[in-house]
Amino acid sequence: MMLAVQVLRLVVCILVLPMFLLNLLGMWRWISKRFFPYFMKEFGVILYNKQMASLKRELFSNLQEFAGPSGKLSLLEVGCGTGANFKFYSPGCRVTCIDPNPNFEKYLFKSVAENRHLQFERFVVAAGENMHQVADGSVDVVVCTLVLCSVNNQEKILHEVHRVLRPGGAYYFIDHVADEPSTWNYFWQQVLNPVWFLVFDGCNLTRESWKTLEQASFSKLKLQHIQAPLSLPLVQPHIYGCAVK
Ligand SMILES: C[S@@+](CC[C@H](N)C(=O)[O-])C[C@H]1O[C@@H](n2cnc3c(N)ncnc32)[C@H](O)[C@@H]1O
Ligand SMILES: *[C@@H]1O[C@H](CO)[C@@H](O)[C@H](O)[C@H]1NC(C)=O
């Protein structure tokens, strides 16, 4: 099986050789950092956000329970992308966004303009592995959706998330993950991963992100595995839930 994965992988990589050559020359990164925000804005809605709306509505329905004594919820979204989650946040919620790719900014500000029920604070261009711009224990809720698949270091991000949350604050997440190793879907995830990784800006199809979450130092973890109602089987296996500091 492993040999079949290797051979098919090679075939797929040869088919998209120009992309790998551009990558070797260091030019692919420049292209994908610009292409990806455009792709998320134009295709995110029809390929993902529509199908996941009811799950997001359910997941984010109790955000307000984590508001501080003033009743204002302070929320940090890490890897915010185009701001696709804004409409699910409770009215008056104070939102800070972090993303390492500055090319998301124009789409993000469009979302800000469309979501007047929120109090938008600022957009910080930084990776989640080092969020020194955000003080210890300063936020009620951190949200990451479709981010753990793309980050360099999941442990570091979760460590940072834990640091910026106040005690009793919560981390909300939705991520696509590796399928069960015995499935054909996992086989194709492995075959297509190197190409997928290049096309979708470092997104990895075969991560077992639930393991990192289970090992992080949260006091409570509510995590569910589902097959998401998406048309592309490769990204159907999902985890979602909430962890409390
Ligand atoms: C698939 S997009 C998801 C965007 C958005 N959260 C959503 O659900 O539509 C992945 C996002 O993670 C961001 N990202 C990549 N590496 C990151 C890192 N190390 N720390 C924080 N965000 C990162 C990307 O720039 C991109 O905006
Ligand atoms: C994707 O994640 C898997 C599992 O963590 C790892 O073995 C693999 O090397 C990663 N692939 C890339 C292209 O980073």
Side-chain angles (χ1 to χ4, degrees):
M1 198 60 128
M2 219 32 233
L3 184 68
V5 168
Q6 300 290 357
V7 171
L8 282 170
R9 219 182 238 170
L10 191 66
V11 171
V12 174
C13 291
I14 289 170
L15 285 176
V16 294
L17 199 61
M19 224 162 70
F20 280 92
L21 290 178
L22 283 176
N23 191 42
L24 280 180
L25 295 172
M27 281 150 73
W28 183 256
R29 217 184 121 76
W30 191 91
I31 298 171
S32 78
K33 288 287 168 222
R34 280 158 186 79
F35 161 76
F36 191 58
Y38 170 80
F39 174 85
M40 288 298 289
K41 182 65 193 170
E42 292 304 317
F43 298 100
V45 178
I46 48 169
L47 293 178
Y48 192 87
N49 299 341
K50 250 191 184 164
Q51 294 87 326
M52 299 300 277
S54 67
L55 182 140
K56 285 191 180 181
R57 202 164 298 120
E58 179 210 318
L59 177 67
F60 295 130
S61 63
N62 66 346
L63 282 179
Q64 200 54 35
E65 285 172 23
F66 294 96
S70 66
K72 285 248 169 181
L73 183 76
S74 90
L75 184 151
L76 173 72
E77 178 154 357
V78 181
C80 56
T82 61
N85 296 325
F86 286 179
K87 60 175 169 226
F88 303 101
Y89 298 159
S90 37
C93 175
R94 288 188 324 207
V95 180
T96 295
C97 285
I98 288 193
D99 201 291
N101 187 347
N103 300 308
F104 274 110
E105 187 172 276
K106 67 175 177 208
Y107 304 115
L108 184 72
F109 284 139
K110 198 158 167 272
S111 273
V112 169
E114 288 164 0
N115 288 280
R116 296 277 169 193
H117 66 289
L118 305 178
Q119 196 180 321
F120 183 76
E121 308 243 288
R122 60 185 173 136
F123 173 49
V124 181
V125 177
E129 286 92 339
N130 177 3
M131 303 192 282
H132 66 267
Q133 298 89 342
V134 186
D136 295 6
S138 63
V139 300
D140 298 314
V141 164
V142 175
V143 173
C144 278
T145 63
L146 304 182
V147 174
L148 290 186
C149 58
S150 312
V151 304
N152 290 333
N153 189 324
Q154 294 188 333
E155 284 82 8
K156 256 193 186 163
I157 292 249
L158 292 181
H159 189 264
E160 278 290 89
V161 167
H162 192 270
R163 176 184 69 74
V164 302
L165 279 173
R166 66 161 171 82
Y171 171 62
Y172 283 75
F173 57 90
I174 304 178
D175 277 289
H176 67 82
V177 291
D179 210 333
E180 300 257 359
S182 62
T183 59
W184 276 110
N185 196 36
Y186 180 65
F187 176 83
W188 288 112
Q189 284 182 327
Q190 283 182 295
V191 169
L192 295 170
N193 203 29
V195 175
W196 184 276
F197 190 85
L198 270 194
V199 176
F200 298 111
D201 193 27
C203 167
N204 188 331
L205 288 170
T206 61
R207 284 195 168 162
E208 300 178 328
S209 308
W210 63 90
K211 293 187 176 165
T212 330
L213 276 157
E214 282 160 3
Q215 279 154 20
S217 42
F218 292 101
S219 67
K220 261 190 260 167
L221 173 65
K222 204 180 128 201
L223 184 154
Q224 302 196 53
H225 289 260
I226 53 156
Q227 292 289 334
L230 301 167
S231 42
L232 195 59
L234 290 174
V235 287
Q236 280 172 354
H238 264 65
I239 54 168
Y240 75 99
C242 161
V244 178
K245 177 169 173 180

